[in-house]
Amino acid sequence: MIILSEHQVARVQAHLARAGLNEQLSTELLDHLCCAIEARMTTGESFDQALSETLKSWPIRQLRDLQKTINFTTKTKPMLYRASAAIALVAGICLLSPFTSVDHSAPLALDHHDHSSDYAADYSRFDPPTASPIAGVDMKAALSSGFGMRKHPLTKRTTLHRGIDLKAKVGTPVQATAPGKVIYAGEDGNYGITVRILHEDGYVTAYCHLSKHVVERGDRVILGQEIAAVGTTGQSLGPHLHYEVLKDDVPVNPLALVD
Ligand SMILES: [Zn+2]
């Protein structure tokens, strides 16, 4: 029987985290996905093969839809409300459609407003998070453990260190390294008190072993906003900030983004 390693489970978890699911659904699906991957691996597939095949059947969009459906059906809304919401949605789509909202009898030249500029910001590429999670502290100067394969200080097993460790005292404010939406804020096993933020372009940042968080799941945050305080919760040897950046579910070296 094949059982996924902690790191492998974390990769599946990161995929679910990107969809911003609630804890209960996320836990249920994590179990389900891990079982499906293990079953594939038993037939000889590598972890990476099994992971990508399994995730193909549960893409982020579908997970979000699932969450929406569950939210919608679990809330006992009167039928009238549901119907009016549906009508409002259809009306909204019609308004957005260029074929119904544009008056074709008017000469095009009269339309002085350049609509492309309205959406310009939406199409600009999102810059990867490069700010330090601790205001005024250079990540390289405060580095106590780098990204990559290392012998775990507690388990003594060689595993991938998915982020970087920064020296800091308990209570030091931790800030968002890019604008985004909080998708997790709370206790998370070995990670201790953790905040995860979803950014544009498939980036997720994680701030771990915190003493407290001052944002909640669902909050929108701006670059440099205080989100938590350094601590030593979870599997930690002493006060420090474990900081991760994931791009499309894959942990990347936060310092490599700065260079
Ligand atoms: Zn660490």
Side-chain angles (χ1 to χ4, degrees), residues 8 17 46 49 53 67 72 88-89 104 110 137-138 141 143 160 188 190-191 209 241:
Q8 290 169 333
S46 72
Q49 276 176 320
E53 284 306 313
Q67 166 105 23
F72 195 69
L89 183 71
H104 292 284
L110 285 177
V137 169
D138 182 85
L143 192 71
L160 174 74
D188 189 17
N190 292 347
Y191 282 112
H209 308 304
L241 176 70

Side-chain angles (χ1 to χ4, degrees), residues 43-63:
T43 69
E45 281 187 16
S46 72
F47 169 72
D48 286 307
Q49 276 176 320
L51 176 72
S52 84
E53 284 306 313
T54 308
L55 294 189
K56 257 184 222 162
S57 58
W58 289 95
I60 296 287
R61 177 181 276 278
Q62 202 185 322
L63 290 173

Side-chain angles (χ1 to χ4, degrees), residues 163-179:
I164 55 171
D165 292 343
L166 303 174
K167 283 175 275 188
K169 287 181 184 158
V170 170
T172 307
V174 175
Q175 64 176 12
T177 55

Side-chain angles (χ1 to χ4, degrees), residues 232-243:
T232 182
T233 54
Q235 206 179 70
S236 162
L237 279 176
H240 76 282
L241 176 70
H242 172 91
Y243 171 60

